[in-house]
Amino acid sequence: MTKVVTDVVCPFCGTLCDDLAITVSDDGKQIIDCQNACAIGAEKFLHTSAGHGRITRPRKRQPDGSYKEITYDEAIEYTAQMLAKAKKTLWYGWASTSCEAMAVGHKVAEKAGTMVDNCATVCHGSSLLAIQDVGVPSCTLGEVKNRADRVVFWGCNPAHAHPRHMSRYSIFPRGFFTTKGHKGRKIIVVDCRYTDTAKCADEFIQIDQSYDYEVLDAFRTVARGHDIPDVVGGVPKEKIIKAVETLKEGRFGVIFFGMGLTHTLGRNHNIDIAINLTRDLNDFTKFSIVAMRGHWNVTGSGQVLSWQYGFPYCVDLTRRTHARYQPGDTSSVDLLRRKEVDACICIASDIGAHFPIEATRHMAQIPSVCIDPHINLTTEISDVHIPVALVGVEVAGCAYRMDNVPMACRKVVDPPEGMLTDEELLEKVYVRLCEIMGDS
Amino acid sequence: MKTVTITMKNVPDLYLEGDMITPDQFAGKTNEEIAALRTYEGRETYCLGDNFEISGDAVGATPAETKIIVKGDCTKVKYIGMNMTAGEVVVEGSCDMYTGGWMKGGKLHVKGNVDSFSGLGMEGGEFTVDGNAGNFIGASYRGDWRGMQGGVLRVKGNVGSDIGTFMNGGTLIVEGNADVHIGTHAEGGTIIIKGNANRRIGGQMVKGTIYVYGDITYMMPGFQYTKDVELEVDGDKAVFAEYIGDLGERHSKSKGQVVYGKIYRKK
Ligand code: SF4
């Protein structure tokens, strides 16, 4: 008899849908079906049983470029020796593992005096900078579902990146005060191209690429009752005035924003002016702003780092006595690009797929370890690849949703025989590192 | 004033944190004591003498009487002149990030280029860069609402983006061109760009003054033209078009009048 595990949290995107039903085989080893998830979420569960090139033991790169299987003990030895020897190790990733594993990893990082950075550095790090500069009036997705009647998507495309966001929270659901669902909401999409999300919008505002800051400034200027030029960033004045009126007339509004703001010209300033627009709109009605965080637990990494060191990413632990922070200096891409680190560990993320080529190239030239359940672009340029069990599918753990709500991810099947989890692996690295480094 | 010269002999593998290269740290010390000052490279600690040759007469008894000349390749040295309060530092070549960060007094002269975050949160003194400078010059530390607060920071070449963010005092002069985001969130102080300025000048500016001699690629929609005025700026007399803003931002009142940030564009 198969059994169905309910209320499973999907460990794929920052929406962290918590209503999945997974059918597993008798012996608890195979996933047979996945219900309620979107296509990408379902794939995360189903591929584990399909045996898609999953490797179950660490591998070490040989002089001829090929990889040879090694034992976990050998991989742990290599990692600990590398950490003990390097003057400055970059430890990047964390976004696809549990908060519990992060806490163990940070213990190792503190001992070795490394840099600790997560995917926010190439994603919503600029949002975090803006929040540090001007604060943030935010809310949970539950509030959006139950209250929001004005929803703005600025520079984000949930139809592709967070497929169930619109149906669970932001556009379609009926909630306590939003009994009419989609009909009761006014949706405004601002983007430089007509996206699939824009197809659901009541108002689509197409702006010239990288003119977000100027257009947001125009929104603020209009909200304060001043005049603006006839066209700003390709948008006619009348359209901006009408949009501001629509937002002011709502009872509860929310702005969702994504990479279109965080990684176009100006970066953090685009977010800080969007936050300030949200603040301005609170003079007229209730307004909130929420970042569309990408990786399922990138928010959790920010939470754990902030809780432990006071900074959400780009944390410099080299002084050991205190943490330091300055994106631009302590950020992964800059550290690699400037050749400022002499070793690198990539965990639960993919440098090879996400970083600029000059940064990736330096990573390939220094001693490196990649800890990831799968083969990815980074494992193929790392000296050692250590596969681990898949968190959220084969291991339980805590993760934070994009609105900073913690969720308990469940274990639905066993990992392949003899595979270590992130936590177990990192604990073993810690023990070995302490033996090598002593009390230093 | 007594002069001590430090010359780079071993360029660090990674980057060296040289925040002790200030008259404040050197004053009253023998050359041996200066050589023993602690530096950092990654997590490892070293002595200044491991990387630099120290020569010259013994330094002055106080920072104000101390002059430091830095020679050799210092492109991998951060924090030179950080927190200095008096005296003089001359860097013969280029150096890295945070040069003159949180500087409070004295003179700092870099004959080459400096990288980002130089003059961060500067409070006083004179800081001159003969070459180019990176991003966040005279800006604030992340999350701090106090950017440059005093002193004069002059860059003779070009600068990158985000200069004078959250600036609320002092004068920042760029003789070349500047990239995007100039004086964002400024609450005071003066920025003079003698070359061209890219976009986003004075965004969310509350107070303060920005002069631009060259072109502005795109004006912020929150700024409004008021009148033409004749002014003398850094020794140059000219007619400027005055704009007030950022009208999208909050503004306080002084003697019943709303106080705006101002952009002066040379005609
Ligand atoms: S929207 Fe995101 S969290 Fe929800 S099922 Fe799809 S991938 Fe998983």
Side-chain angles (χ1 to χ4, degrees), chain A residues 10-17 19-20 36-42 161-165 168:
Chain A
C10 169
F12 191 91
C13 82
T15 316
L16 284 186
C17 298
D19 60 345
L20 272 51
N36 300 342
C38 68
I40 41 179
H162 302 87
R164 296 183 70 215
H165 190 277
R168 274 173 66 82

Side-chain angles (χ1 to χ4, degrees), chain A residues 83-88 112-113 129 132-134 210-214 217-218 220-221 224 226-229 231-233 265-266 268-270 272-273 276 279-280 311 316 318-320 324-329 338-342 437, chain B residues 13-15 17 19 40-44 46 76 78-79 96-98 102 115 117 120 136 140-145 162 165-166 179-181 184-185 199-200 202-204 217-224 246-251 260:
Chain A
L83 282 168
K85 201 163 147 247
K87 285 184 193 169
K88 196 170 182 176
L129 293 178
Q132 285 164 343
D133 278 342
V134 297
S210 86
Y211 278 81
D212 304 83
Y213 188 77
E214 283 87 349
D217 189 44
R220 292 192 72 198
T221 307
R224 285 176 186 270
H226 295 287
D227 196 19
I228 53 166
V231 180
V232 179
L265 186 76
N268 54 315
H269 296 301
N270 298 335
D272 94 40
I273 198 165
N276 275 328
R279 195 173 64 182
D280 293 348
F311 306 113
D316 176 355
T318 55
R319 289 276 170 109
R320 290 198 181 94
R324 297 187 296 173
Y325 166 81
Q326 178 75 292
D329 173 15
R338 283 159 50 88
K339 301 190 176 22
E340 217 174 308
V341 285
D342 54 358
M437 293 183 75
Chain B
D13 297 337
L14 305 174
Y15 282 73
E17 293 179 20
D19 51 310
Y40 289 90
E41 187 185 341
R43 68 170 186 211
E44 307 295 337
Y46 298 92
K76 282 183 162 191
K78 298 180 189 181
Y79 297 108
D96 197 50
M97 293 177 173
Y98 304 100
W102 298 278
D115 211 319
F117 310 116
L120 204 71
F136 295 94
S140 63
Y141 172 68
R142 304 287 186 188
D144 196 344
W145 46 272
D162 293 275
T165 307
F166 283 104
D179 203 353
V180 293
H181 284 289
T184 309
H185 287 291
R199 290 159 48 186
R200 305 185 178 182
Q204 303 178 82
T217 316
Y218 195 89
M219 199 72 180
M220 287 299 293
F223 275 84
Q224 248 167 35
D246 181 340
L247 299 176
E249 187 52 72
R250 72 191 153 83
H251 293 281
Y260 293 106

Side-chain angles (χ1 to χ4, degrees), chain A residues 3-303:
Chain A
K3 69 170 189 233
V4 179
V5 190
T6 54
D7 301 325
V8 174
V9 176
C10 169
F12 191 91
C13 82
T15 316
L16 284 186
C17 298
D18 54 357
D19 60 345
L20 272 51
I22 312 285
T23 312
V24 293
S25 64
D26 257 4
D27 55 2
K29 288 202 160 60
Q30 293 251 317
I31 294 178
I32 294 167
D33 192 21
C34 169
Q35 272 172 0
N36 300 342
C38 68
I40 41 179
E43 187 61 21
K44 177 123 188 194
F45 286 93
L46 297 174
H47 86 285
T48 52
S49 299
H52 286 320
R54 182 86 184 264
I55 53 160
T56 55
R57 292 293 177 271
R59 304 176 300 149
K60 186 161 191 250
R61 187 162 52 184
Q62 304 301 306
D64 68 354
S66 65
Y67 281 88
K68 189 177 136 234
E69 190 177 305
I70 55 171
T71 64
Y72 269 113
D73 286 342
E74 286 169 318
I76 289 161
E77 180 68 21
Y78 181 91
T79 312
Q81 292 289 356
M82 183 183 90
L83 282 168
K85 201 163 147 247
K87 285 184 193 169
K88 196 170 182 176
T89 304
L90 167 64
W91 201 335
Y92 166 83
W94 309 104
S96 295
T97 187
S98 65
C99 295
E100 291 86 341
M102 290 167 199
V104 181
H106 297 168
K107 188 168 74 172
V108 185
E110 223 176 292
K111 178 78 191 165
T114 75
M115 312 296 290
V116 182
D117 197 4
N118 60 37
C119 303
T121 207
V122 285
C123 188
H124 272 282
S126 39
S127 314
L128 301 168
L129 293 178
I131 291 168
Q132 285 164 343
D133 278 342
V134 297
V136 64
S138 199
C139 67
T140 64
L141 295 178
E143 283 178 274
V144 174
K145 173 187 169 185
N146 287 304
R147 296 173 189 273
D149 61 349
R150 296 289 182 275
V151 183
V152 181
F153 294 98
W154 200 307
C156 58
N157 186 11
H160 289 254
H162 302 87
R164 296 183 70 215
H165 190 277
M166 300 174 354
S167 58
R168 274 173 66 82
Y169 305 110
S170 50
I171 299 186
F172 304 109
R174 291 164 201 267
F176 197 81
F177 298 110
T178 50
T179 46
K180 289 197 188 125
H182 187 192
K183 278 206 191 74
R185 293 191 175 93
K186 284 255 183 315
I187 313 294
I188 297 180
V189 172
V190 188
D191 212 303
C192 58
R193 65 209 157 94
Y194 187 65
T195 60
D196 282 338
T197 305
K199 287 178 187 158
C200 308
D202 297 287
E203 187 76 53
F204 171 57
I205 301 176
Q206 184 154 20
I207 66 174
D208 291 344
Q209 193 172 0
S210 86
Y211 278 81
D212 304 83
Y213 188 77
E214 283 87 349
V215 175
L216 280 159
D217 189 44
F219 269 64
R220 292 192 72 198
T221 307
V222 168
R224 285 176 186 270
H226 295 287
D227 196 19
I228 53 166
D230 291 341
V231 180
V232 179
V235 188
K237 176 167 144 181
E238 300 69 44
K239 206 159 180 165
I240 293 174
I241 294 173
K242 189 173 152 226
V244 172
E245 280 314 309
T246 308
L247 298 181
K248 280 186 186 174
E249 282 162 7
R251 285 178 302 145
F252 185 107
V254 60
I255 299 174
F256 290 105
F257 64 95
M259 298 290 98
L261 281 194
T262 64
H263 276 274
T264 53
L265 186 76
R267 296 173 181 84
N268 54 315
H269 296 301
N270 298 335
I271 321 304
D272 94 40
I273 198 165
I275 292 174
N276 275 328
L277 170 66
T278 312
R279 195 173 64 182
D280 293 348
L281 289 167
N282 274 295
D283 288 345
F284 306 96
T285 178
K286 171 83 184 143
F287 241 88
S288 294
I289 182 162
V290 178
M292 296 288 257
R293 306 302 300 268
H295 282 63
W296 60 282
N297 199 18
V298 65
T299 315
S301 175
Q303 290 282 351

